[in-house]
Amino acid sequence: MRVHKLSFAALAVAAGLSLTACQSGDGGTAQGGPSSAPAPASSAPSGGPGPGSPGQAGGTDSAGKSPAPQGATTGTGSGSGSGGSGASGKCRTDDLTITAMDSTTDGDREGTVAVTLKNRGGRDCTLSAYAGVDLKTNAGSLSAKRTGQQAGTTVLKPGKAVSFGVTYPLNTSGGSGVRVTGLVVTPPDETKPVTLAWPGGATLPVTEGGGSPVEVGPIGSAGQGG
């Protein structure tokens, strides 16, 4: 019986030593037990861009607007183009170089003067209908009447020209007739005239009755008047 008692006493001492070794000396948890929960992730470092700050993809700036993608540029503009265009304005007298030449050929029953209008400006301009034509004579001014031909619209580009015809009766009477001293041309829809030297026959026959024997064709009708 003494032997058994000693054995039980030794077992008790060994068990106590084992229990003490499994415990921490400071009252902590036992070794091998579950560790405490990990600390939450810290926020972005001070001064660095956090989620939603400008410059970070997918975020918004302080005004609530999404920033441009990396590498893109943004800008604002207030101009609006004209293109060109718009409709051309009418040809002013000061935009034109106006000349006149005799276009009568042998066998013609009437004399013809071709009046040419050349655009010397820097923009397109339009001419339509009829120009005003007056002949200066020793008997006074003589206004040409329109032939009545259909008149279209011509767009005259810079440096380009268009002509119209002025027809008049040839003086074959053998008399002195009416002496022509000048040609006055007023472009369509204009009030400023240009006075040129008369390049046609020196005189017109004397006619009886009313009406002008001189006719003017529409713009583009050079050689077709009468």
Side-chain angles (χ1 to χ4, degrees), residues 13-194:
V13 171
L17 292 174
S18 177
L19 181 61
T20 301
C22 292
Q23 295 179 346
S24 63
D26 297 328
T29 59
Q31 292 183 356
S35 62
S36 60
S42 61
S43 60
S46 176
S53 61
Q56 182 173 343
T60 57
D61 59 19
S62 60
K65 300 179 180 179
S66 299
Q70 184 175 2
T73 59
T74 61
T76 59
S78 58
S80 59
S82 60
S85 148
S88 302
K90 66 180 180 180
C91 296
R92 301 286 186 179
T93 302
D94 292 339
D95 296 331
L96 301 170
T97 298
I98 303 176
T99 57
M101 63 178 293
D102 185 11
S103 294
T104 307
T105 60
D106 292 341
D108 286 350
R109 298 178 59 183
E110 293 181 316
T112 302
V113 168
V115 179
T116 300
L117 299 88
K118 182 177 180 179
N119 183 359
R120 65 180 181 182
R123 62 177 180 86
D124 293 0
C125 64
T126 59
L127 290 167
S128 60
Y130 290 79
V133 172
D134 297 280
L135 270 60
K136 297 172 69 175
T137 75
N138 62 341
S141 181
L142 183 64
S143 296
K145 63 181 180 180
R146 297 179 178 183
T147 62
Q149 292 174 268
Q150 184 175 0
T153 299
T154 299
V155 177
L156 205 57
K157 294 184 176 299
K160 298 300 181 180
V162 66
S163 301
F164 63 89
V166 178
T167 58
Y168 61 95
L170 297 172
N171 185 11
T172 60
S173 66
S176 59
V178 178
R179 184 166 55 90
V180 182
T181 59
L183 173 65
V184 182
V185 178
T186 306
D189 301 317
E190 271 286 78
T191 57
K192 183 178 180 180
V194 172

